[in-house]
Amino acid sequence: MNKIEHIGIAVKDLNASIDIYQKLLNTDCYKTELVASEFVNTAFFKTGDNKIELLQATSPDSAVAKFIEKKGEGIHHVAFLVDDILAEMERLHQEGFVLLNESPKKGADNKMVCFVHPKDTNGVLIEICQEIKWI
Ligand code: CMX
């Protein structure tokens, strides 16, 4: 795996949180994106080489809504960039990790993504992601 691509933070109110993180990081949010398939609205910040993704649920059934209900707002996942998501999914499967999707799915910010169950990774939801390359 390569670097940490971003850290995802679950929030209740995306606009209020955008204001907070703009002040905190002293930089503007560079992108907001609805990921309808995941029932989340997202906002992205870059600070140096690092990225933060804020996530607000769009439905009470969404993973983010359930997370906030159980644990409150906070770090929801850590995402690692990979070169070959299919190969990395196969490697993780062989290592015994439970993958939460059988094939890569379209995530936010032009990525294909796959999640690893937090029960297998000390309570931290792990995302692996690969940049989608348009030919
Ligand atoms: N981080 C750490 N633990 C988490 C978690 C998270 N983000 N989400 C849930 N959990 C915990 C639950 O609190 C629960 O713990 P306990 O058993 O101690 O109560 C445990 O994981 C399992 O919970 P569950 O009730 O069996 O399952 P959930 O319905 O809560 O689903 C999960 C959990 C991880 C399987 C589900 O959220 C999932 O599939 N996530 C992947 C997709 C996703 O998160 N999408 C949103 C982000 C999209 C984006 O980044 O664009």
Side-chain angles (χ1 to χ4, degrees):
M1 286 194 199
N2 300 330
K3 64 174 186 170
I4 289 177
E5 209 280 335
H6 65 267
I7 292 174
I9 298 175
V11 304
K12 289 181 183 168
D13 180 335
L14 193 64
N15 286 332
S17 302
I18 287 172
D19 281 348
I20 291 168
Y21 278 80
Q22 282 184 165
K23 283 182 199 148
L24 177 77
L25 301 172
N26 198 21
T27 189
D28 288 339
C29 162
Y30 72 88
K31 180 178 196 174
T32 57
E33 183 179 350
L34 172 69
V35 187
S37 56
E38 294 293 314
F39 303 102
V40 286
N41 255 319
T42 65
F44 284 88
F45 291 85
K46 278 189 189 131
T47 169
D49 288 338
N50 304 305
K51 273 168 58 178
I52 300 285
E53 176 188 28
L54 303 180
L55 303 136
Q56 180 188 354
T58 59
S59 152
D61 295 330
S62 93
V64 168
K66 287 185 192 170
F67 174 86
I68 288 180
E69 205 180 296
K70 274 191 183 170
K71 296 178 186 272
E73 293 181 297
I75 293 183
H76 177 262
H77 64 264
V78 176
F80 291 89
L81 190 66
V82 299
D83 294 327
D84 182 342
I85 194 165
L86 287 173
E88 203 58 33
M89 285 172 69
E90 178 57 24
R91 187 185 73 77
L92 292 172
H93 174 69
Q94 293 300 332
E95 292 284 7
F97 293 96
V98 171
L99 303 181
L100 292 167
N101 40 301
E102 279 182 14
S103 48
K105 54 185 180 178
K106 172 88 175 62
D109 209 23
N110 197 39
K111 300 284 187 306
M112 296 306 292
V113 304
C114 177
F115 290 89
V116 180
H117 201 290
K119 288 280 182 204
D120 287 348
T121 48
N122 302 89
V124 178
L125 177 64
I126 301 293
E127 174 186 321
I128 59 171
C129 60
Q130 179 184 351
E131 194 96 29
I132 298 172
K133 293 194 175 70
W134 303 98
I135 302 168

